[in-house]
Amino acid sequence: MLGRLQAAGYRWVVEPEGADLVVVNTCGFLDTAREESLAVVRQMAELKRRGRLGGILVAGCMAQRDKEALIEACPEIDQVVGLFARDQIAVAARRTTAENRPSTVAERLLMADPLERAPADDCRVALVPSHVAYLKIAEGCDRLCAFCSIPMIRGRYLSKPIDQVVDEARRLADGGVRELVLIAQDTSVYGHDLADRPRLAELLGRLDRIDSLAWIRLMYLYPRRSDLDDELLDAIASSDRVLPYLDIPLQHIADEVLRRMRRGATGDETRRLIQRIRERISGVVLRTTLLVGFPGETDAQFEELLDFVRRERFDRLGAFAYRREPGTASDQLDGHLPESVKESRYDRLMETQQQIAFELAAARVGRRLDVMIDRAVAEQPGAYVGRTAADAPEVDGLVYVTGDDLRPGQIVPCEIVTTQDYDLIGVAVDRAK
Ligand code: SF4
């Protein structure tokens, strides 16, 4: 959106106050995210009422999902830009500054039909130039997970053509990106909808040849055996740049919960998949996400999940307590659990994982690990924050590094001297000598 606006002659400013226009990019996935999005829209509306802001554009998933309701809740909104109209954002921007500003609700909606092809992200503008970039390889999702509203909002799965992904990756690398994080609602089925049907393994092979990239990280792999096959695992294991770090949201392990979630795998299939990944990719770091308190989840099924977590000892684990989402299949299920049960199961799961995570972090003390420097610590000369290859940006742990003249994007060997909860404390090897 920023790229399109910039191409249309708009210039971005840091603060909304005094701007001609503000774009609020919303999330519509969960009620908490929608509340947060609406709170920001209301703040902008207040600025507009006080004459400190020109116009308000609302974009993103919530704009797609709750279009009219948004304008009803906040009449100060000038334009609601649907997901599939993203690339027409400059049209919406011009409408807010036109002499005859749109006034009716219909005039204030800029919607488009679901896309036939994945949108090209060819005019990206980085707000903060960075050595890390997310690269979306596909849009939408064809799965039917009972708890999830994403397919309803974002439509069917559309892969970006492989040449387009590789070009985009090259441009990012030429612009200084050293770590590329590949994302999609589901990265594992990349290419299945394209005429030439490239596969994720093929894409990784092409990206692996971009010399200036240091790390390529894969997020959001769906745990299906036929997608996470030996070809893909071997491509990761033999790659120079693709990290042996896999993020595979498993959601649960009890057969009956997985069935009610419509996840399409049994507990045993899931266990065998993890075993196969660990056998084929030596030293693999596994991250997963679990969902507790799904409708009908019994005490015994939750205990099975806890037992699974204790045995598998995932390197990284995130969890959610189930929340009802209108329009999803699971909202119609019986057996919804009280909030207190969901919360206490969430707490027990996180406590279990915390102990594992602390032990795994402590086991890294005394080792020499490569750390990518993310930033210098303000007003502390010689202090830096970075991550190892086992830590994805924003979601995993950090390494606090002492060193000299380090710069963001640089990868330096560090001696790990101690831990701080989930994080590590290290000294750049030159300093350690
Ligand atoms: S695979 Fe992910 S995005 Fe797709 S329906 Fe399941 S949870 Fe939602």
Side-chain angles (χ1 to χ4, degrees), residues 141-178:
C141 185
D142 292 338
R143 311 263 190 206
L144 298 167
C145 305
F147 51 83
C148 181
S149 58
I150 285 178
M152 288 187 291
I153 303 172
R154 301 198 79 100
R156 67 187 176 89
Y157 194 87
L158 295 170
S159 305
K160 279 185 188 169
I162 190 162
D163 289 342
Q164 191 178 311
V165 179
V166 175
D167 283 352
E168 205 180 317
R170 272 219 182 85
R171 270 202 303 277
L172 290 166
D174 290 346
V177 167
R178 304 228 57 218

Side-chain angles (χ1 to χ4, degrees), residues 131 371-377 383-387 398-401 408:
H131 54 284
V371 174
M372 183 178 283
I373 300 300
D374 281 335
R375 61 183 167 85
V377 178
Y384 301 86
V385 181
R387 290 169 295 111
L398 302 171
V399 188
Y400 295 97
V401 177

Side-chain angles (χ1 to χ4, degrees), residues 331-366:
D331 195 36
Q332 306 298 319
L333 289 174
D334 51 16
H336 284 275
L337 299 173
E339 291 303 316
S340 57
V341 171
K342 291 190 259 182
E343 291 304 327
S344 87
R345 287 182 184 173
Y346 170 85
D347 290 344
R348 279 189 65 203
L349 174 60
M350 292 318 285
E351 279 161 22
T352 304
Q353 177 62 22
Q354 187 183 63
Q355 192 182 337
I356 295 167
F358 287 3
E359 287 168 10
L360 293 174
R364 299 168 92 192
V365 173

